[in-house]
Amino acid sequence: MELDKLRIWFVSTYDSPIGQSCRTYDFATALTERGHDVTFFTSSYSHHTHQERLDKGVKWQEEYFGKVRVIWLKTFPYRGNGWQRAINMISSGWRAFGVGRKLPEKPNVIIGPSVPLFTGLVAYFLSKVKNCQFCFEVRDIWPQSLIDLGVLSPKSPATFIFKIIEKYLYLRAKKIIVVLPFAYKHICKYGIPPDKIIWIPNGINFSRFSSSKSYDGGNAHSLVAMYVGGFATTHDVETIIHAANILRDINVTNIRFVVVGYSQDKNKYKKLLELGAANGVQFQDTVPKEDISKVLEEGDVLIASVKDTPVYQFGINSNKILDYFASGRPIIFAVNSPNDPVKDANAGLSIPPEDPKAMSEALKTFLMMSPEERKRLGQNGLEYGRKNLDVQVLVQTLERVLLEVNEYNMED
């Protein structure tokens, strides 16, 4: 290959070219558009839909999405966060190593994730087999985020093992790519120099919004408040429902609530769904990533709300907010985080998390705004996204980092 054209391998467990989590695929596609050769290893069993892509008996399969070569890996199926998910993590990494080491070509660099750490470790081992460089991509900080969520005890054996792996990968990586703006505060405690850490947040793939209708500010006398996202541990749909109840009690009836993306496990959220229905909240199933732009066209104000938890102590990097920016609609940002992209963009209102009263007041503020004011805030977010968060902009930084890392190959 030409010296400025790289062969890059991404090793992942949860990202997918057709799923809800598509950071890897978006950056891989952008890299191929810049002339690089990219292979993307990922599990054939979807973490988000719990559907299996490969036929029975097929251990792995190659498929091209555009110019990106995707290697689907058969892994152990699971639901929830129990021992079956742990086996899935291990089987994904094991399969990636087994398939990767047998492929004849040699990559210039292999990128492995922090979630799960075992996959990152396998990516490093694979880089040793292929005699190439390794970059560690830190999405969530494991095991600290698991401790913050109460999933792991700080003194558990699993935590001790994870911390060993975490430090090992920080030290072995040529570069550490982080998606959280303040992750360096944690990583540097391990003696890692700051110049080894590169912040590249999730980006917006504006091609998914190419056919979206421009927002006109909506109706002057009514409002559609919309939440699009998950119902996981840190997501806070309850505050939205309680805010709807407050508004109903004071006879504010011209705000319609739409919540998109509730879990397939309806029994798990039965009480929440019943409470929402009683307060006039409309629920819709999860939609594919490529359909989100159309769904957002119904909203006048988009809500990003999470629980008040230390898991965001190093910043927030939410795909939800990126989609909201790209839609050109104003945002309510209810997050306790050291960064506030909505405030930075002047794209809406920021309020404390888990505060239904503040949420209801913010919604009333938007209701009283003119359509022109709402449109202006939404346009601010859109312009901020185009300038700072477009994948086509961010990939330039990633490409520069990978070319720099490849220079070590030529020095060895």
Side-chain angles (χ1 to χ4, degrees):
M1 299 185 72
E2 300 176 37
L3 291 179
D4 60 344
K5 302 303 178 185
L6 304 178
R7 181 174 286 120
I8 304 157
W9 285 8
F10 288 90
V11 183
S12 178
T13 296
Y14 300 126
D15 277 17
S16 172
I18 56 175
Q20 300 297 321
S21 182
C22 52
R23 171 189 168 93
T24 300
Y25 176 66
D26 285 344
F27 278 98
T29 299
L31 285 167
T32 63
E33 291 170 352
R34 300 175 76 84
H36 303 289
D37 182 285
V38 182
T39 297
F40 173 16
F41 296 80
T42 191
S43 173
S44 64
Y45 181 80
S46 172
H47 170 70
H48 302 282
T49 66
H50 302 292
Q51 294 178 344
E52 173 58 59
R53 187 169 181 85
L54 298 184
D55 293 333
K56 186 176 181 180
V58 178
K59 296 181 178 180
W60 69 278
Q61 183 172 293
E62 177 184 279
E63 183 176 359
Y64 276 84
F65 288 78
K67 294 182 179 180
V68 178
R69 179 175 66 162
V70 175
I71 305 292
W72 296 107
L73 306 167
K74 178 64 71 67
T75 55
F76 192 82
Y78 70 94
R79 285 182 180 270
N81 291 310
W83 62 269
Q84 291 177 320
R85 184 176 181 184
I87 294 178
N88 174 272
M89 295 177 187
I90 295 171
S91 65
S92 175
W94 181 259
R95 187 78 73 188
F97 183 80
V99 174
R101 70 185 179 87
K102 292 180 180 178
L103 293 178
E105 70 268 24
K106 174 187 173 181
N108 300 98
V109 60
I110 298 177
I111 303 170
S114 65
V115 180
L117 279 170
F118 186 73
T119 303
L121 187 64
V122 163
Y124 169 68
F125 289 154
L126 198 53
S127 74
K128 300 304 291 183
V129 171
K130 292 295 183 177
N131 192 28
C132 67
Q133 302 299 334
F134 166 69
C135 287
F136 188 32
E137 185 177 64
V138 178
R139 303 285 192 90
D140 290 329
I141 299 175
W142 276 25
Q144 187 57 51
S145 61
L146 298 178
I147 295 170
D148 292 339
L149 289 170
V151 176
L152 285 180
S153 164
K155 298 180 180 180
S156 74
T159 299
F160 178 74
I161 294 170
F162 279 156
K163 285 187 174 181
I164 291 175
I165 297 174
E166 177 194 19
K167 182 178 180 180
Y168 183 81
L169 292 174
Y170 290 154
L171 293 171
R172 296 300 183 274
K174 283 296 181 184
K175 291 291 182 180
I176 302 169
I177 300 166
V178 300
V179 304
L180 302 174
F182 297 95
Y184 70 90
K185 291 185 176 182
H186 173 84
I187 297 170
C188 288
K189 291 191 296 185
Y190 288 89
I192 305 299
D195 60 359
K196 187 177 179 178
I197 304 167
I198 311 296
W199 175 45
I200 305 178
N202 289 347
I204 302 171
N205 183 345
F206 278 100
S207 67
R208 295 194 180 97
F209 292 82
S210 59
S211 61
S212 296
K213 297 177 183 177
S214 297
Y215 180 51
D216 61 5
N219 190 294
H221 306 292
S222 65
L223 194 70
V224 177
M226 176 176 284
Y227 169 91
V228 179
F231 276 52
T233 305
T234 59
H235 298 148
D236 183 25
V237 179
E238 292 94 330
T239 293
I240 300 172
I241 293 173
H242 291 309
N245 183 55
I246 291 172
L247 292 168
R248 185 194 63 176
D249 287 345
I250 60 174
N251 294 318
V252 177
T253 58
N254 48 351
I255 298 179
R256 183 163 65 90
F257 290 84
V258 180
V259 172
V260 181
Y262 69 92
S263 170
Q264 292 182 347
D265 186 358
K266 297 178 184 179
N267 290 328
K268 182 177 180 181
Y269 301 104
K270 185 177 179 180
K271 291 184 178 179
L272 183 61
L273 297 175
E274 289 175 350
L275 177 62
N279 291 325
V281 178
Q282 176 188 348
F283 291 92
Q284 297 178 14
D285 289 344
T286 301
V287 297
K289 186 73 172 177
E290 59 269 20
D291 294 337
I292 286 178
S293 62
K294 288 295 182 185
V295 171
L296 292 174
E297 288 181 2
E298 186 182 350
D300 291 306
V301 56
L302 307 175
I303 301 173
S305 59
V306 298
K307 300 289 179 66
D308 189 1
T309 166
V311 77
Y312 297 110
Q313 63 181 299
F314 302 111
I316 188 168
N317 179 60
S318 171
N319 286 319
K320 178 192 288 86
I321 295 171
L322 303 182
D323 291 334
Y324 289 0
F325 279 155
S327 75
R329 283 152 174 79
I331 303 166
I332 293 176
F333 183 79
V335 183
N336 182 8
S337 168
N339 67 318
D340 184 342
V342 174
K343 182 178 179 181
D344 293 342
N346 189 25
L349 298 175
S350 298
I351 63 173
E354 298 191 71
D355 189 336
K357 179 64 175 177
M359 179 80 71
S360 65
E361 290 298 323
L363 287 164
K364 286 196 293 182
T365 298
F366 277 112
L367 180 63
M368 291 184 289
M369 284 183 185
S370 67
E372 291 74 20
E373 289 177 294
R374 296 179 201 157
K375 180 180 178 179
R376 185 163 55 250
L377 289 173
Q379 192 65 30
N380 288 345
L382 178 60
E383 292 174 359
Y384 180 87
R386 289 193 182 281
K387 181 179 180 180
N388 300 286
L389 298 167
D390 188 339
V391 167
Q392 298 300 329
V393 173
L394 297 175
V395 74
Q396 298 175 42
T397 301
L398 178 59
E399 181 184 48
R400 174 182 57 78
V401 170
L402 297 180
L403 287 170
E404 180 183 338
V405 165
N406 186 53
E407 293 178 2
Y408 293 101
N409 286 325
M410 293 182 284
E411 293 173 2
D412 290 345

